[in-house]
Amino acid sequence: MKDYVVIGGSASEHLAKNIAKKLQAKYLKTRVKIFPDGERKITVVGQVRKCKIIVVQSTYTPVDSNLVEALSLISKAREMSNEVIAVIPYMGYAKQDKEFLKGEITTISVIAKLFKASGATQLIVVDFHSPKALDFFKVPIKNLSAVSLLAQYFKNLKLKEPLIVSPDMYWRHKAKEFAKYLNATSIALNKQRDRKTGKLIIKSPHLKFSKGRDLVLFDDMISTGGSILKAIEFLKKENFRKIYVACTHPVFVGNSERRIKKSGITKIIGTNSVEGKFSRIDLSDIIVKTILDWKS
Ligand code: R5P
């Protein structure tokens, strides 16, 4: 078997260590010093030769700083090896995938170029917001899905007649897939965002559900919590026994956690694409499997 070395960035240390353990790979730590102006001095502790290097670093908040760290780690890894797999479980800017309003920049296309330029030879992402935007990346890329892992967790909860709801049409196929694992039904709401004000409205017809069912709101990411809260308001929480939230990327900015919890939610479950209190589902198994199966 090829020798692997894992470099864990500061945003994905736990996940990186899990990956290293499963691959029986050497783990190189990253040391980050943040200067008063916000700049980072990034150091990879240790040197290696003749191996395949895996750099693990999500780019959630602070997005730009974590992104610079990811690119810097990749570039350092490339000095040590010709094969560098960048594992970016949560890719910031993935929502900026087209010019919605005139003059807006498709920033994810710019970032895609940076990954190649910094030296990544393969890329692994998870539930990337916009599958179409994967085409911007000019290195071989695998977009993994956390749906089965999340669904398995919920299967063990033995929910009552669960209804799986995607707050927008974007994620409807994934909600359907999630529901299938639970032998449950799913719907997707027609959420629209005013591109100028950012205001959300739901344009779906009002549906009636029998009382006492469990509700699972399922989305790719939760950031401000606005989409989830809008969906709860629309579906009327009194109609449900318990309300759960499942997402791949629990970003949770500002006071989103408090706002969501106040709305009567029983549990929030996410993956460790974003490390924090909601990252209950470990992605290391599916990432390791992808690395080992990837014929290069
Ligand atoms: C939108 O297209 C995404 O799939 C999520 O629904 C959205 O990014 C969640 O963000 P927030 O929690 O701020 O509503």
Side-chain angles (χ1 to χ4, degrees), residues 99-110:
E99 186 177 352
F100 293 97
L101 296 178
K102 192 146 181 52
E104 281 181 3
I105 294 159
T106 308
T107 303
I108 194 63
S109 72
V110 180

Side-chain angles (χ1 to χ4, degrees), residues 266-277:
T266 304
K267 219 176 213 168
I268 301 167
I269 301 296
T271 79
N272 57 356
S273 74
V274 177
E275 298 194 342
K277 61 201 281 199

Side-chain angles (χ1 to χ4, degrees), residues 147-149 151-152 155 176-184:
V147 175
S148 64
L149 297 174
Q152 191 52 51
K155 206 170 174 180
K176 209 170 175 183
E177 189 189 333
F178 185 105
K180 227 175 176 178
Y181 283 104
L182 271 68
N183 248 330

Side-chain angles (χ1 to χ4, degrees), residues 19-284:
I19 293 172
K21 220 180 269 165
K22 287 177 183 160
L23 282 172
Q24 296 180 327
K26 183 171 176 172
Y27 180 77
L28 296 188
K29 203 174 134 73
T30 300
R31 214 171 34 227
V32 179
K33 178 179 169 177
I34 303 177
F35 290 105
D37 64 358
E39 262 183 30
R40 290 184 182 198
K41 182 204 273 285
I42 305 153
T43 309
V44 174
V45 185
Q47 274 282 334
V48 287
R49 294 249 166 266
K50 287 204 177 102
C51 55
K52 200 163 189 165
I53 303 187
I54 298 153
V55 172
V56 190
Q57 166 79 345
S58 268
T59 62
Y60 55 90
T61 341
V63 181
D64 295 351
S65 302
N66 281 332
L67 176 64
V68 169
E69 186 178 325
L71 298 170
S72 305
L73 293 175
I74 292 166
S75 133
K76 187 69 186 167
R78 193 56 196 270
E79 284 173 21
M80 301 188 254
S81 169
N82 282 331
E83 295 176 282
V84 177
I85 304 180
V87 178
I88 316 291
Y90 172 73
M91 178 75 80
Y93 287 101
K95 283 194 281 185
Q96 299 192 33
D97 58 347
K98 67 175 176 201
E99 186 177 352
F100 293 97
L101 296 178
K102 192 146 181 52
E104 281 181 3
I105 294 159
T106 308
T107 303
I108 194 63
S109 72
V110 180
I111 286 169
K113 287 182 200 145
L114 296 177
F115 275 97
K116 185 170 169 72
S118 60
T121 54
Q122 286 161 280
L123 199 57
I124 295 176
V125 292
V126 182
D127 287 328
F128 191 85
H129 180 76
S130 161
K132 259 190 170 164
L134 292 169
D135 293 343
F136 291 126
F137 290 83
K138 300 298 177 211
V139 289
I141 185 164
K142 300 263 190 218
N143 180 20
L144 314 188
S145 168
V147 175
S148 64
L149 297 174
L150 286 159
Q152 191 52 51
Y153 180 94
F154 280 87
K155 206 170 174 180
N156 294 336
L157 293 182
K158 307 257 179 286
L159 304 179
K160 188 169 172 231
E161 275 184 86
L163 173 69
I164 316 302
V165 176
S166 162
D168 58 38
M169 301 309 273
Y170 229 141
W171 201 238
R172 65 184 183 283
H173 300 300
K174 299 277 193 168
K176 209 170 175 183
E177 189 189 333
F178 185 105
K180 227 175 176 178
Y181 283 104
L182 271 68
N183 248 330
T185 43
S186 74
I187 58 164
L189 302 178
N190 183 8
K191 177 188 88 179
Q192 304 282 330
R193 192 183 290 272
D194 184 310
R195 289 277 160 204
K196 282 198 180 128
T197 63
K199 201 169 172 262
L200 294 176
I201 46 164
I202 291 180
K203 286 191 165 168
S204 305
H206 275 279
L207 300 161
K208 275 213 163 230
F209 300 104
S210 56
K211 280 205 170 208
R213 295 177 69 175
D214 286 337
L215 173 65
V216 181
L217 293 153
F218 183 44
D219 210 345
D220 60 338
M221 62 183 287
I222 295 173
S223 183
T224 63
S227 307
I228 291 293
L229 291 170
K230 202 78 202 167
I232 294 175
E233 182 190 309
F234 181 82
L235 293 163
K236 303 213 177 349
K237 64 178 178 201
E238 320 57 77
N239 288 336
F240 296 92
R241 189 180 75 125
K242 287 182 176 169
I243 303 176
Y244 296 86
V245 172
C247 66
T248 302
H249 310 298
V251 176
F252 285 91
V253 296
N255 64 354
S256 52
E257 180 188 342
R258 198 164 46 81
R259 287 170 64 224
I260 288 194
K261 282 201 168 145
K262 244 172 72 184
S263 69
I265 278 164
T266 304
K267 219 176 213 168
I268 301 167
I269 301 296
T271 79
N272 57 356
S273 74
V274 177
E275 298 194 342
K277 61 201 281 199
F278 302 120
S279 45
R280 301 266 188 106
I281 309 293
D282 179 26
L283 295 171
S284 61

Side-chain angles (χ1 to χ4, degrees), residues 3-21:
D3 277 342
Y4 290 100
V5 167
V6 176
I7 298 178
S10 63
S12 296
E13 236 178 67
H14 289 106
L15 176 60
K17 281 184 182 158
N18 289 350
I19 293 172
K21 220 180 269 165

